[in-house]
Amino acid sequence: MKLLHSCVAAAALVAFSFSAQAETRVTYKSAKTSSSYYQMAVQIAEAMKEASNGDIIVTVEESQGSVQNVMEAAVRPGNYVFTTPPVLVKLAKGGKAMFEKRANPKFGEIRALFPIPSLTMHFVVGEDSGIESFADMKGKKILIGKGSFGAKEGAKYLKLFGLEGQVELADVELSNAVPALKNGQIDGFVTAGSYPAPNVIEAAAGTGVNVLSLSDEQIAQTKRTKLVIPAGTYAGQDADITTTSLPVVAYTTTQMDDDTAYALTKSFWDQKAKMGKGAAWWNGVDKDLLSNISGKIHPGALKFYDEVGYTITDAQR
């Protein structure tokens, strides 16, 4: 009887070990819960689970922004996936700008997986704020958020357009932007979510807003890519909005094994069209966005791209 119990226990242990090995767990660090990028992360998590028949379980974590995501890449163990503009990875590897005093050789182990929808700058103002151009923002109270790449980008634009010190910056988290606008605590807010951005949708539907367009001269000043948000994207939007965008990529580190990186990358591209039916922002992602990756691509992801014939440069290998 003891021998039988031992055999059963051994068999159960083997079965448990096999099950544990079959299930791959991934942590996906994205953005604040109010952002479009958090919603994208949830969609990716669901897509990965479906494509792998439950073998890949992605846990989404809220983040304060891309800078934090990159910082954590140096210390997070296991299958850590995060999103950020490629420029921040380049700065981290070079120990420049916000990474100058926090340089870490581990940043050199960051590897790309796949592109996701680009950051899209939105300068959102209440329709009753009296703001029709950037010049009209003088003396107004604007929320740009704290710590995120979008907040830093918003501050940069205000400086470029001669508004530094001319605008009162609200000391409020971006997650509170919509109620703050509705309650008259602020005149507008800046967000960098890919369009259509959830907080802009909410503000447009519940409060009534205008989203400012940038002139060609202003776009040139920012040194970013011009992007047009089509009329009708948001409630009450009768005309196209001209703004800027910045590419965003999902990254991991060399701690992730090749098989997992391959499975994640293949699942993403296989499920992208289906995700696009539920959220329009995925439809702007195609293989051409791979050219925005300035660093190395994970070997597991490279295997997939080589199989499907996508163009990858020598610098990305």
Side-chain angles (χ1 to χ4, degrees):
M1 183 65 72
K2 287 184 179 180
L3 179 60
L4 177 61
H5 283 173
S6 297
C7 290
V8 171
L13 181 60
V14 170
F16 175 79
S17 298
F18 179 79
S19 175
Q21 289 174 0
E23 184 180 272
T24 300
R25 292 194 170 272
V26 175
T27 299
Y28 190 109
K29 192 87 170 181
S30 180
K32 294 184 178 181
T33 53
S34 60
S35 71
S36 56
Y37 284 95
Y38 189 88
Q39 290 193 18
M40 288 178 206
V42 172
Q43 290 167 345
I44 286 177
E46 292 171 350
M48 296 296 176
K49 183 177 181 180
E50 180 179 339
S52 67
N53 293 317
D55 289 340
I56 298 177
I57 303 299
V58 178
T59 301
V60 179
E61 284 189 5
E62 183 181 20
S63 163
Q64 296 304 305
S66 297
V67 174
Q68 179 191 4
N69 294 354
V70 178
M71 289 291 187
E72 291 193 16
V75 297
R76 294 291 289 263
N79 294 323
Y80 174 62
V81 175
F82 64 98
T83 60
T84 183
V87 65
L88 289 190
V89 174
K90 187 175 181 179
L91 289 174
K93 290 179 177 180
K96 298 178 179 178
M98 66 283 289
F99 301 98
E100 183 177 1
K101 295 181 179 179
R102 291 178 279 189
N104 193 316
K106 288 285 187 179
F107 290 138
E109 298 177 6
I110 293 173
R111 297 291 185 270
L113 291 174
F114 47 80
I116 64 174
S118 299
L119 281 165
T120 305
M121 291 302 292
H122 292 73
F123 289 84
V124 186
V125 297
E127 60 182 0
D128 298 326
S129 66
I131 302 173
E132 296 182 3
S133 68
F134 282 91
D136 295 332
M137 292 173 71
K138 289 183 179 179
K140 301 293 186 178
K141 193 169 187 177
I142 305 296
L143 170 61
I144 64 172
K146 302 175 183 178
S148 68
F149 184 83
K152 290 179 172 60
E153 192 81 346
K156 167 189 163 183
Y157 284 35
L158 293 180
K159 183 176 181 179
L160 287 173
F161 303 159
L163 292 168
E164 187 177 32
Q166 305 295 313
V167 173
E168 182 183 354
L169 298 180
D171 186 23
V172 182
E173 292 289 345
L174 186 60
S175 57
N176 296 320
V178 176
L181 186 65
K182 184 176 182 178
N183 296 332
Q185 296 172 277
I186 59 175
D187 297 297
F189 64 91
V190 180
T191 185
S194 183
Y195 84 89
N199 50 358
V200 183
I201 292 174
E202 183 183 356
T207 305
V209 299
N210 293 319
V211 181
L212 300 181
S213 278
L214 280 69
S215 67
D216 288 343
E217 181 182 355
Q218 288 171 328
I219 291 172
Q221 284 181 278
T222 68
K223 298 181 180 179
R224 300 301 188 202
T225 302
K226 181 178 179 178
L227 181 142
V228 176
I229 301 175
T233 298
Y234 300 113
Q237 181 199 342
D238 299 326
D240 290 349
I241 299 164
T242 304
T243 186
T244 60
S245 68
L246 190 67
V248 180
V249 172
Y251 289 90
T252 186
T253 70
T254 54
Q255 289 196 47
M256 179 177 286
D257 64 71
D258 292 0
D259 288 344
T260 300
Y262 175 87
L264 288 173
T265 304
K266 185 178 189 304
S267 296
F268 170 78
W269 290 102
D270 286 350
Q271 294 290 312
K272 190 186 75 66
K274 185 175 182 179
M275 290 192 293
K277 292 179 180 178
W281 49 54
W282 293 111
N283 298 327
V285 177
D286 58 31
K287 61 183 181 180
D288 291 339
L289 291 185
L290 289 167
S291 63
N292 293 324
I293 298 173
S294 56
K296 301 286 186 182
I297 296 176
H298 194 288
L302 282 175
K303 178 184 176 183
F304 170 78
Y305 293 132
D306 288 340
E307 284 181 355
V308 295
Y310 289 176
T311 300
I312 304 296
T313 67
D314 291 340
Q316 294 173 323
R317 293 184 179 275

